Structure formats: structure tokens, C-alpha cells
Amino acid sequence: MFEFFGDVGGAIMAPLYFITSVILSGFHNLFGGIFGDDSGAAWALSIIGLTLVIRAALIPLFVKQIKSSRNMQLLQPKLKELRDKYGHDRERFAQEQMKLFKDTGTNPLASCLPLILQMPIFLSLFRLIDRAAHGETRGVLSQDQVDSLAQAKIFGARIADTFTGAEGESATAVRVLAGLLVIAMTATTFLTQRQLMTKNMPPDALKGQYAQQQKMLLYILPLVFAIGGIAFPIGVIIYWTTSNLWTMGQQFYVIRRNPAPGTPAAKAKEERDAHKRARKGLPEPESTGTTTTAVAAPSEAERRRQQPKKQSREQRKKGKGAPPRGSGRPAGGKPR
């Protein structure tokens, strides 16, 4: 039975080993020519390159995650109304909640998609580096590359070593580097979630059930990574820390450029826009209390209606003989 499940797991992971190893090997060929094939810098930068490729591929899902998260925030007042109205009837509340999500195009699970889809890559990289430490190949990595990865060092610590499995003369260097990277991984996980809650969530969203879930994740996720991180190879921690930094930068850009209405980030954007207009000497836009009004440019359909209608050749010929309006002269006749 265990052999069967092992074979199934191996069949599922095989394509992931292939994808991960192809990208990793490609970057290693690039950086190996600069720093040397066996250098830790070449392998560390190859792992960072792998991270950037994976995160760039997940940008469309990140956009969906942001939209879904924003919709969930803005729906909190309506969800509270439904909870107050149907709180005694869980089945009816669930039906009305799903109807609300469907009508507004909101998927509560979309906020977890980037994390969920990253986990198989994370596990494949973990197994690839862990097996390399034991001299076993995975994917397209050659035996020479596996031996190089297993022995590659950065700041005196082997990339394939873990905090708990450090042994020999380099044990101290491994524990120091792994400990620092685990702290960085935990801190970036916490700051990424906190950035979303403090900058891009309206006050109403901070009081609902969704907010409570976000607050739990704010402290639980970093704790999980801190505990599990001591068993991760240094190379895997480099991957996850780089991924967190990417998320922080991407999230900062999106929140700054397109914040959710009624949030501290939206207020900060209004202040920046006002300062920019004042610096350029532009007038303040007309305001109607809560929204800014502007004269809209005519649409394409309106422009077509405003343009003179095209006439056929026969109509143009007839038009030449037609008298001007009000002249009292029929076409082709004499004045009355």
C-alpha cells in the first residue's frame, strides 16, 4: 500500500522536478560562468532566479488575489447585515452569502491561490536540494551538478544543510546563517500580511469575521514558517525569503497605485495627487462630496452621430438641383 502511494506521489512530483530543475540548471549555467560552477554564489543566485521566474508567472493570479481580497473587504458591511438577518439560520445565511459572492464576482479562495500554487514548487525544490545533499539526482540535473549543489557554500555554510542537521566544522556557520534567514523569512511573512491590513483595509472590514481570519493568519503563518524553517535547507529558505520580498514589493506597488476606497492608502493617494496638482499649478477637480466629477469626452458613438451622414451618388445628384430651404423655388423651376 505504501509503495503504491509512493509511486503515485513520485508520478505527480516528476513534472515539478523537471520544471524546477530546468530553470535552476539554466540559471546555474549563466551564473556558473561568472562565479564558477561550484561556487555557492552561483547556486544561491540560481535559486533567486528560479523564484523570480515562478513569481512572474503567478502575476495574473496575484491580480485576481488582490481583486478578491478587495471585494471581500468591501463586502464586509453587507455580510454583517446578512449575519444579523440570518444568523439564526446557518443554511439560509450560507445560501445568501454564496449568492452575494456570485453576484459580485468574488471568490473567497482566490486570496490563497498564489500560496497554494507555490507550495508544489516549494516542495519540489525542497526535495531536490535535500536529495542532492545525499547525492541523488532529480529532474534534469546531472550527477556533477548534484555533487556541486551538495557541496556549494555561501558565507561558510553549505546551501544543502539545515539548522537542525548541521554537523562538523561548519555547523556554527550553518546555524547562524540558517537562523538569520529563518528570522528574515518570518519577518517578511508578517510584514507582508500586516501591510495589507493596515494600509488597504477600510475600517468596516477590520471588524468582521474576515478581519478576524486575517488577524489569525497574521500571527499563525509566521509562527508556522519559523517552526518549520529550522528543518528547511538554506537554499529553500533563500527561495521563500525572496518570494516574500517580491510579494511585499508587488503589494506595495498595487496598494500605492490602486488602493481600496476608504482606506489609509486611498487617503494617502489623494494627498499625493493634491500635492502633485499644486506643484504643477493645476486647479482642484470639482467635487460632489465624496466623488470627483469631470466632463467626459464624447464616446465614439456620439462622435458618429455628430458627423454629417454620408450620401449616395444619386442623393448627391438630386441635392444639386434642390433649392435652399425657404427660397420658394422648386427644383429646376423658375422663381415664383
Side-chain angles (χ1 to χ4, degrees), residues 42-116:
W43 283 109
L45 290 172
S46 299
I47 292 170
I48 292 173
L50 168 68
T51 312
L52 299 182
V53 169
I54 298 300
R55 291 312 308 267
L58 291 176
I59 286 177
L61 288 177
F62 179 80
V63 173
K64 287 185 179 180
Q65 175 195 17
I66 289 293
K67 289 182 179 178
S68 178
S69 178
R70 175 175 298 178
N71 285 346
M72 286 296 296
Q73 295 164 18
L74 299 178
L75 287 178
Q76 289 310 300
K78 293 183 179 180
L79 287 173
K80 185 178 183 302
E81 290 177 8
L82 291 178
R83 195 173 292 109
D84 294 340
K85 188 175 181 180
Y86 303 110
H88 60 284
D89 188 347
R90 292 187 178 181
E91 185 176 350
R92 181 65 186 278
F93 171 72
Q95 291 174 353
E96 294 295 328
Q97 182 178 240
M98 293 306 296
K99 184 176 181 298
L100 180 62
F101 289 156
K102 184 178 180 181
D103 293 342
T104 57
T106 304
N107 181 5
L109 299 178
S111 59
C112 302
L113 280 177
L115 179 63
I116 292 172

Side-chain angles (χ1 to χ4, degrees), residues 239-290:
Y239 169 89
W240 203 257
T241 304
T242 305
S243 180
N244 285 347
L245 291 172
W246 172 287
T247 301
M248 285 181 65
Q250 196 173 40
Q251 195 167 265
F252 174 80
Y253 176 82
V254 171
I255 291 174
R256 182 179 175 85
R257 296 294 298 271
N258 192 21
T263 62
K267 184 178 179 181
K269 186 176 186 301
E270 290 176 2
E271 292 174 354
R272 288 196 306 271
D273 291 343
H275 179 71
K276 188 182 295 184
R277 286 192 297 269
R279 192 174 66 246
K280 293 181 178 180
L282 299 174
E284 289 291 329
E286 296 180 11
S287 177
T288 58
T290 57

Side-chain angles (χ1 to χ4, degrees), residues 211-248:
Q212 297 302 320
Q213 295 172 356
Q214 294 296 312
K215 287 178 182 177
M216 288 177 62
L217 290 175
L218 179 64
Y219 296 102
I220 291 175
L221 276 180
L223 184 63
V224 169
F225 283 118
I227 295 172
I230 60 175
F232 295 158
I234 287 174
V236 174
I237 307 176
I238 291 173
Y239 169 89
W240 203 257
T241 304
T242 305
S243 180
N244 285 347
L245 291 172
W246 172 287
T247 301
M248 285 181 65

Side-chain angles (χ1 to χ4, degrees), residues 29-43:
N29 290 336
L30 172 65
F31 293 117
I34 300 172
F35 301 100
D37 289 339
D38 297 330
S39 69
W43 283 109

